[in-house]
Amino acid sequence: MAHVVSLSGSPSPTSRSQGLLNRSAALLEARGIQVQAFSLTDFDAEALLFGRFDDPAIRAFQKAVANADGLLVATPVYKAAYSGGLKALLDVLPERALARHVVLPLATGGSAAHMLAVDYALQPVLTALKAHHILGAVYATEKDIHRDEHNVLSVTAEIDERLLIAIERFASLLPHRSVQPSVYASWGQARISS
Ligand SMILES: Cc1cc2nc3c(=O)[nH]c(=O)nc-3n(C[C@H](O)[C@H](O)[C@H](O)COP(=O)(O)O)c2cc1C
């Protein structure tokens, strides 16, 4: 069964983009696809900022991404681009980190004005990490995501429909493998060294 990593680039404890991520992860898990979640709170800020590649949390994140087939990546729009926290997370990934991965970007902004921020800002970074397949982003504005008195987030029917379609496509592009990726990696090494 395919493995997916989800990555939240929002520092907010009541993040709307995290809400998109949670709904997407639930849709994948309903299809029997495991999702391993990472967010900024999983990391020591200094280790992240100074790119300490030997930090245990950073190593665990690198390993999870290496073993995954897909990446859900969510970000708020900050100053017409994605968040700096997300950039710090992407910067600690090795070259070609996404070479086998299907990637679905999710983003929230204050308005629709910066809807293309994912295309002109985040997509080039994902391409630099050699993302195998980048799906069109699902973008929502603040008015599309409701937070109730218990801080539970819900999205409008329109956004939910877009998430459903995107997740359907994302899931269809994941490999249906029965062998762990680390086994594939060792096969590759064996071929190279022989
Ligand atoms: C520092 C900062 C910069 C922002 N810049 C923009 C912006 O340029 N364009 C925009 O549409 N929204 C902007 N916003 C609004 C956020 O994108 C919006 O509130 C988003 O839903 C936050 O997502 P989150 O709840 O996942 O953190 C900004 C918010 C903050 C805190």
Side-chain angles (χ1 to χ4, degrees):
M1 185 52 78
H3 293 273
V4 170
V5 161
S6 76
L7 185 56
S8 169
S10 173
S12 166
T14 54
S15 161
R16 290 185 173 86
S17 51
Q18 177 78 60
L20 295 185
L21 206 50
N22 293 348
R23 177 67 179 139
S24 303
L27 291 170
L28 284 173
E29 281 164 357
R31 288 165 173 75
I33 297 168
Q34 286 176 17
V35 181
Q36 189 174 359
F38 290 89
S39 69
L40 286 170
T41 54
D42 295 321
F43 301 89
D44 174 60
E46 197 175 300
L48 208 51
L49 202 58
F50 290 95
R52 297 204 180 108
F53 287 75
D54 58 344
D55 175 81
I58 289 176
R59 289 175 72 109
F61 170 56
Q62 292 168 333
K63 193 173 168 199
V65 172
N67 285 329
D69 310 290
L71 177 72
L72 300 173
V73 55
T75 182
V77 174
Y78 279 179
K79 304 288 190 280
Y82 56 94
S83 73
L86 177 60
K87 183 69 163 81
L89 284 167
L90 295 174
D91 284 351
V92 297
L93 290 175
E95 267 184 70
R96 308 189 60 81
L98 302 179
R100 281 188 319 108
H101 299 58
V102 183
V103 183
L104 175 62
L106 307 165
T108 57
S111 75
H114 289 136
M115 186 182 252
L116 294 179
V118 170
D119 294 354
Y120 63 67
L122 181 57
Q123 200 169 305
V125 183
L126 299 172
T127 302
L129 290 165
K130 302 289 183 286
H132 176 62
H133 197 131
I134 307 171
L135 296 181
V138 176
Y139 183 91
T141 63
E142 288 174 6
K143 67 174 173 47
D144 296 319
I145 303 173
H146 175 70
R147 184 184 298 133
D148 72 14
E149 64 273 25
H150 306 294
N151 272 335
V152 176
L153 295 167
S154 57
V155 298
T156 59
E158 187 194 334
I159 295 298
D160 208 39
E161 176 72 15
R162 275 194 245 158
L163 284 176
L164 266 167
I165 292 167
I167 288 297
E168 197 64 54
R169 176 114 176 91
F170 180 84
S172 75
L173 291 166
L174 293 172
H176 297 282
R177 59 180 165 76
S178 54
V179 182
Q180 293 300 307
S182 53
V183 176
Y184 289 123
S186 60
W187 286 348
Q189 282 160 15
R191 271 205 301 277
I192 290 161
S193 60
S194 62

